[in-house]
Structure formats: structure tokens, C-alpha cells
Amino acid sequence: MNPAREFLLNAAAKSVDLAHRKIIRKNMDHYEVRLAEGVARFADWEGARDVCSAIKDDAIEHLGDYLKQFEAKVKARGGVVFWAETAEEARDYVANLARDRGVKRVVKSKSMVTEEIHLTSALERAGCEVLETDLGEYIVQLRNEPPYHIVTPAMHLTRKEIYETFKEKLPGITTDEPVELVAAARRVMREFFFSAEMGISGANFLVADSGMIALTTNEGNARLGTALPRIHVVVTGIEKVVPKLSDLGILWPTLAGAATGQSLSAYNTLIGGPRRQNEVDGPEEFHVVLLDNGRTALLAESEQREALKCIRCGACLNNCPVYRQIGGHAYGTTYQGPIGSVLTPHFRGHDFDHLSYASSLCGACTAGCPVKIDLHHHLLRNRRNAVQNSRPLLERIAFRLFRWTMLSSARYTWFAGIGKKLATLLRGTAFDPLREWNRYRTPPQMPKKSFRQMWRDGDV
């Protein structure tokens, strides 16, 4: 089944799943309250957005220079930088590293880039046990599901569903009390933290002037996962670079405010390389995999390159009326919602052009973006590109027929009369061009008289 058809079926099923919508609405309502609190902590929220946008604009405009600066700093501290042009190159590098070093256990901190390249399955094929250490990621890993949301991977699950998952997968679970469930997950993770030979993380930001990676979590798992194993591997997109360490002074609180409504995430960590002489902890090896995977192609498009400014806060998903109805899994992609619909056709090709139509174009995503990406206009540009690349034959015929009809008053009148009769006859049948819409909605009643007839009869 092609991705477009699969998306339509998934979206249709989720949009009428009232239990699913109730869960999502509850979580989104909670998010709105927290976001309002987070924004209120800023003296000038719009000013903060302007500053963050300018920082990321600078980073994207000088991406090559900042990445070279970052690479030089990492190497100077004894780290290794690997440039991966494709997902396959990134997977192979990490998997081969694990084989060469005899790694059997891997702990992962939350990272959407590793989801993008399907790193876990590659490591498992290399003979490694891989454990997600973010609680939400761990829950969806137990269920063999991809993350549902960029920030909150298990947003779609109820407490009962999480309990049932734990009871099935972990021994000794007898209660659905959250404290007990978290304690059970912690016992599993702690054992892995202390036995894993490799820790893998993403990076919220790569700081060019200091060669540091900046990590943000609320559970502290990234600190354990990057400090305890003897090898730390960072897998990150090249667009995560920012010019200066001081930029984090505004980027960190703005990210936390837009993502979860916090003034600052609980754990913010800077890591610059492997353990040095006389240091008592930290990894023996430090590797940074800088992933392209379509990003430089997007960078070359001056009209849309600003999509690379995304800091993965998830605000556009939370604000999107389409995402609120169909949820994250319906998209069938790593990045969902408005930013996913903008990025995925660039990263994965024209098979995903349909995602650009999964938007009401209301602009709520743009209004909520903390780095001011003009998301809804990029969706329109993607639609334009999709039409230029491939317009279905029936659509071309339909538009030519429409144009021919509209150029003649007589033809318009005749087709309007035919269309009125056909709309009633075909409604709900396999020949109804609006059947997907009409399946779930009451169609509007056709008026007895057209406006032209009413005008002619003196009714208006």
C-alpha cells in the first residue's frame, strides 16, 4: 500500500475513534494550560521568539562554517566526528563501531534522529540489546510502537493501557499505581545503565564556538546514559548547530516553554568529549555522527531552508487541528504534524507529498513556533511543488473542464443544472467524488432555486 493511501485509511479510522480523541484532547488541554504559564514567565515572549529565530537564521545561513568549527573543537578534545550523508551510512557507522568494540548492550536517550534512521533495529541485527531510557520511549518500545509525538512519545496511552503493557512484559507487576510502574521501569533501566558498553544520545543543540553538545531532558536519563557506558555516540542532524554557547541562554528556556510550558527543563547538560586524564567519570570514547539525509538538499532551497531551524519542541503539533484529530501514528512518519509534513517530502521524496494536504492552513502552527518558521506557507509551497512534479491525469482533465465551463455563461448554467441532479443521485455511491467527505458528514441540502433563477424570478 502506498503511503498516501495508508495515511488516508489511518486518518479516517482515528478521526472517528472517540476514545482516542478523548485522550488526545485531555492531554492537549493540559498542554494549553502549561504553555500559557510558560509564556507568562517571559517578560517578552514575542521578543524571545525573534531572538531565537535570528540565532537559527544565522546558523542555517552559515551552516558549513559553524559545523567545521564544531568539528575542530570536538577533535581537539579527543572526540571523533563522522559525517554521514545517508541514513545507511549513519547506521553502519554505529553498528560497526558496536561490533568492533564488542558491545552487547546499548542504552539510548530520547532521539528523533535515531528514529529517523531506524538505528535500534540496525543495532539489534548487529547482536546488541538496545534499551530506550526515556520513560515514554521505553513504554512504546515495550509495545513495539514508534513514538506518537516528538516530545511525549506515549501521549496516546491511558494509565490502564500502560499497566497492561507492563504486566505483560515485566515480571511481578500487580498494580497500576504510577509510582510502582515507574519504579519497575527504573529497576530495568538501572541494570542496563550499569552494564551497557555504549550510550547513544541525540543533541538538542551543537555549539560551534565550544564544540559542546547540549542535551535537555526531564528525567536525567541522558546524563546516566552518556556518562556510565565506556562509549558515547551522539547521532544528530547537521541543522542542530548554533553559533555560540551564550545562545543557549535564550534557546534553552524558549525550548522548554514551547515544549512543556516549563521555565527550564529539569536537566540541561553540556558534553564536550571523552573522559580526560585525571577525570573520574565519563566515556572513554566520544563519537559524533553528523547526519545529512536530505538536509543539504533542503538547505539549497533558499525559499524553504528555514524549515531546518526547527528545534523539535512539538508546539506545532500541539496547535494543529489536524494532528489533534488523527494523532501521531496516522502520519506513518518519524516527524508528524505540520513540521513533519513540511520536512518529510524533502527527506523521503515525493511519496510523501500528500502530507502537505494534511493541514487546514489556519496558521496556528506558525503562530506557535518558537523560532518563527512560516510553516503553513511552506505547506502551500510543498503543495505547489507536488503539483508541478506530478499532477494526476483526472485532475488535469477536471481543471481544464472547469476552466472551459467557467468561460461561458451558457455552459456554466447547463453544468450547474446537471451537477445539482448528479449530486443527489451519486451521493454516497462509489461514483461520488466527495464520498470520503460525505461518509462522515451530513451533506448540505441543495437549494431549490439557484441564485440566477432567484434573480430572474425577482426573489432577490
Side-chain angles (χ1 to χ4, degrees), residues 36-143:
E37 293 171 355
V39 169
R41 294 190 184 99
F42 283 78
D44 182 358
W45 171 247
E46 289 304 316
R49 292 178 69 210
D50 286 336
V51 173
C52 290
S53 177
I55 291 170
K56 291 295 289 183
D57 275 333
D58 179 29
I60 297 302
E61 289 300 318
H62 305 92
L63 192 64
D65 294 335
Y66 287 133
L67 286 170
K68 288 177 184 173
Q69 191 179 2
F70 171 80
E71 179 186 29
K73 295 283 183 181
V74 172
K75 287 182 174 178
R77 287 202 189 87
V80 178
V81 176
F82 178 76
W83 298 78
E85 185 175 347
T86 64
E88 183 179 15
E89 287 183 7
R91 285 194 303 266
D92 288 348
Y93 180 83
V94 183
N96 290 335
L97 183 67
R99 285 194 195 94
D100 292 346
R101 303 296 193 272
V103 171
K104 296 299 179 187
R105 278 191 163 184
V106 177
V107 285
K108 278 181 76 246
S109 178
K110 187 175 181 307
S111 161
M112 294 306 293
V113 173
T114 58
E115 295 290 335
E116 176 186 335
I117 65 173
H118 305 293
L119 182 59
T120 296
S121 54
L123 285 168
E124 287 172 345
R125 287 194 297 275
C128 299
E129 280 187 277
V130 183
L131 189 81
E132 298 286 349
T133 60
D134 171 270
L135 182 59
E137 292 273 357
Y138 177 63
I139 292 168
V140 294
Q141 184 186 29
L142 287 178
R143 295 170 63 88

Side-chain angles (χ1 to χ4, degrees), residues 133-377:
T133 60
D134 171 270
L135 182 59
E137 292 273 357
Y138 177 63
I139 292 168
V140 294
Q141 184 186 29
L142 287 178
R143 295 170 63 88
N144 197 29
E145 292 178 350
Y148 183 88
H149 185 283
I150 290 175
V151 176
T152 47
M155 176 198 280
H156 59 303
L157 299 174
T158 63
R159 173 173 158 182
K160 181 181 178 185
E161 288 171 322
I162 294 171
Y163 166 61
E164 294 294 336
T165 300
F166 274 49
K167 192 168 68 170
E168 178 186 348
K169 302 288 184 179
L170 303 179
I173 301 297
T174 57
T175 172
D176 66 350
E177 286 299 319
V179 172
E180 296 299 324
L181 297 178
V182 171
R186 183 179 289 136
R187 284 194 291 274
V188 174
M189 290 180 193
R190 286 284 167 151
E191 197 270 330
F192 262 79
F193 279 130
F194 285 103
S195 60
E197 300 96 345
M198 177 183 284
I200 296 176
S201 74
N204 293 96
F205 303 103
L206 306 170
V207 185
D209 72 348
S210 58
M212 311 286 276
I213 68 161
L215 289 172
T216 294
T217 73
N218 275 315
E219 299 172 14
N221 57 308
R223 289 188 176 179
L224 287 171
T226 58
L228 293 177
R230 56 183 167 84
I231 305 168
H232 176 197
V233 181
V234 183
V235 184
T236 180
I238 55 175
E239 78 281 10
K240 296 293 183 69
V241 74
V242 295
K244 305 186 296 291
L245 193 61
S246 59
D247 294 332
L248 299 181
I250 186 66
L251 285 169
W252 261 341
T254 307
L255 170 62
T260 55
Q262 294 170 278
S263 54
L264 203 61
S265 299
Y267 298 90
N268 296 288
T269 308
L270 290 166
I271 301 173
R275 179 196 311 177
R276 288 184 286 187
Q277 194 172 12
N278 300 325
E279 289 184 339
V280 296
D281 56 13
E284 297 167 10
E285 295 185 48
F286 180 74
H287 300 254
V288 181
V289 178
L290 295 173
L291 178 70
D292 184 333
N293 206 31
R295 287 161 173 81
T296 53
L298 180 55
L299 182 67
E301 296 188 19
S302 58
E303 191 181 32
Q304 290 194 272
R305 66 171 53 163
E306 74 155 2
L308 293 172
K309 290 162 58 179
C310 176
I311 57 174
R312 307 289 190 266
C313 66
C316 62
L317 282 66
N318 300 333
N319 289 334
C320 177
V322 174
Y323 183 91
R324 286 174 174 235
Q325 300 300 317
I326 66 174
H329 287 161
Y331 290 82
T333 56
T334 302
Y335 305 107
Q336 313 102 355
I339 187 62
S341 298
V342 169
L343 290 175
T344 306
H346 294 281
F347 287 179
R348 299 183 63 181
H350 297 304
D351 284 348
F352 294 88
D353 282 343
H354 61 278
L355 294 177
S356 305
Y357 296 87
S359 169
S360 63
L361 299 179
C362 63
C365 49
T366 301
C369 178
V371 291
K372 292 198 163 183
I373 301 173
D374 190 6
L375 286 160
H376 66 297
H377 283 106

